[in-house]
Amino acid sequence: MNGWRPIEVLLVEDDPGDILLTREAFDLNKVHNRLNVVNDGEQAMAFLRREGAYADAPRPDLILLDLNLPRMSGTEVLREVKADAVLRTIPVVVLTTSEAEEDILRSYRLHANAYVTKPVDFEQFIRVVRQIDDFFVSVVKLPTQGQRL
């Protein structure tokens, strides 16, 4: 599918519990995708642009983005990613607690590839993250690292 290489996933999340659950879901899936984590929107943009401490950061194949972030909201990150010619081809899945219709509409208007509401139940959360991971590894064809626009 993607050359049998693990995909690089960037999780932009400030909740330590959700980070732990996401790591656990990836570990349970045994696909060995690489999960990189940043805790706020400014760190996300530095990671994506390979600035400062993130100069050697891998280019993500997929971004899992929370909307409610400190320093720079997930909506602002989404807006910047999709406005950037170098970054816009990276699929972005909004993974957030918000069920507000305006957040859903705004995310899709800013070209989010999917909007997923985080379940509060532990088992359901693990299942949702695994399904996202499965979908982007087994179903979706991602551009190879060298083929980005």
Side-chain angles (χ1 to χ4, degrees), residues 14-146:
D14 64 320
D15 183 308
D18 287 350
I19 292 168
L20 185 63
L21 287 175
T22 304
R23 283 192 192 282
E24 197 165 315
F26 270 68
D27 289 345
L28 289 171
N29 224 10
K30 297 183 179 14
V31 177
H32 304 297
N33 289 328
R34 295 186 190 106
L35 185 65
N36 303 280
V37 180
V38 294
N39 302 113
D40 65 50
E42 287 182 6
Q43 287 178 3
M45 293 313 301
F47 186 101
L48 291 165
R49 292 181 175 141
R50 297 178 176 150
E51 298 170 342
Y54 302 105
D56 295 325
R59 179 178 171 93
D61 296 297
L62 173 66
I63 300 169
L64 300 179
L65 179 65
D66 187 19
L67 290 183
N68 304 309
L69 297 169
R71 298 178 56 195
M72 178 183 205
S73 74
T75 301
E76 292 170 304
V77 171
L78 180 59
R79 181 179 289 115
E80 284 199 31
V81 166
K82 293 305 182 176
D84 186 311
V86 174
L87 303 174
R88 74 170 53 122
T89 59
I90 303 172
V92 177
V93 175
V94 173
L95 182 61
T96 188
T97 55
S98 175
E99 295 184 36
E101 187 67 21
E102 64 265 18
D103 286 340
I104 297 168
L105 282 170
R106 184 181 310 113
S107 295
Y108 281 118
R109 284 184 181 134
L110 292 172
H111 307 288
N113 297 84
Y115 190 102
V116 179
T117 303
K118 292 179 194 173
V120 291
D121 173 78
F122 169 79
E123 291 297 325
Q124 285 183 321
F125 186 95
I126 296 286
R127 194 168 27 258
V128 163
V129 171
R130 288 179 69 185
Q131 287 172 337
I132 292 168
D133 187 47
D134 284 343
F135 181 71
F136 279 94
V137 171
S138 304
V139 178
V140 172
K141 179 74 173 152
L142 297 171
T144 58
Q145 292 285 331

